[in-house]
Amino acid sequence: MTFSRRRPLCLPAAAAAAAVLLPAAVGCSPADATVRAAVPSPPPAEAAVCRALDEELPESVAGQSRRDPQPASAYTAAWGDGAIVLRCGVPRPPAMDDPQSQGLEVNGVGWLVEEHTGEEDAGPRFTTTYRTAYVEVVLDKRYAHDAGPLAGLAEAVEKTVPASL
């Protein structure tokens, strides 16, 4: 697996690598809780890309088995007890316009890195960059300093979500 850190899409590709700082915390979700995720409403072209991605997503990521969230949708997926939640076809995050935003590249897929707040066990949020559809991956606090789950998703994203540059 290849990890590299870089500035977000609003900067030239040759921009210097940026450090990624995420909050230090460890937590867990109840194992019997139903995983929930808001279903995006992508435009038709993005919806087709997201359906193709859904077909290619792995059954296991970072040792967690796939357990899709409710309501069921081809635009959402989850692994474990909600430790890893993916949504495809999300709107472009406003942070992509911020030159101070941080980016990370994992196995050829660029990601915007944000702190995800608003939930008790929230960890980092990653959103693909330079792709025809935005794919968001939210990790819980167990992955506060571990972008490893992105490596498990990179092949499917690379295969089904075309680069936009």
Side-chain angles (χ1 to χ4, degrees):
M1 111 180 85
T2 305
F3 291 95
S4 64
R5 297 170 197 231
R6 63 179 177 81
R7 289 261 179 202
L9 37 118
C10 57
L11 297 178
V20 176
L21 299 174
L22 298 174
V26 177
C28 57
S29 300
D32 61 347
T34 299
V35 178
R36 297 209 169 278
V39 177
S41 299
E46 290 180 28
V49 167
C50 292
R51 286 189 300 274
L53 174 62
D54 185 59
E55 293 294 319
E56 293 295 325
L57 289 172
E59 288 302 313
S60 176
V61 173
Q64 304 278 343
S65 296
R66 187 164 173 178
R67 182 176 164 206
D68 286 343
Q70 295 299 315
S73 171
Y75 308 139
T76 61
W79 291 265
D81 57 358
I84 303 164
V85 177
L86 177 146
R87 298 185 325 129
C88 184
V90 297
R92 184 177 196 272
M96 286 192 182
D97 294 327
D98 182 354
Q100 299 303 310
S101 292
Q102 302 298 304
L104 174 70
E105 187 173 298
V106 179
N107 293 353
V109 177
W111 300 89
L112 169 73
V113 181
E114 297 178 277
E115 217 176 291
H116 183 225
T117 58
E119 296 176 22
E120 183 178 319
D121 61 348
R125 175 177 42 221
F126 301 91
T127 307
T128 55
T129 60
Y130 299 117
R131 297 278 163 181
T132 58
Y134 293 106
V135 178
E136 172 191 270
V137 176
V138 175
L139 307 177
D140 73 9
K141 287 184 180 180
R142 287 173 276 191
Y143 297 100
H145 296 286
D146 182 4
L150 298 179
L153 298 168
E155 182 178 342
V157 170
E158 183 77 18
K159 183 176 181 179
T160 60
V161 185
S164 63
L165 287 180

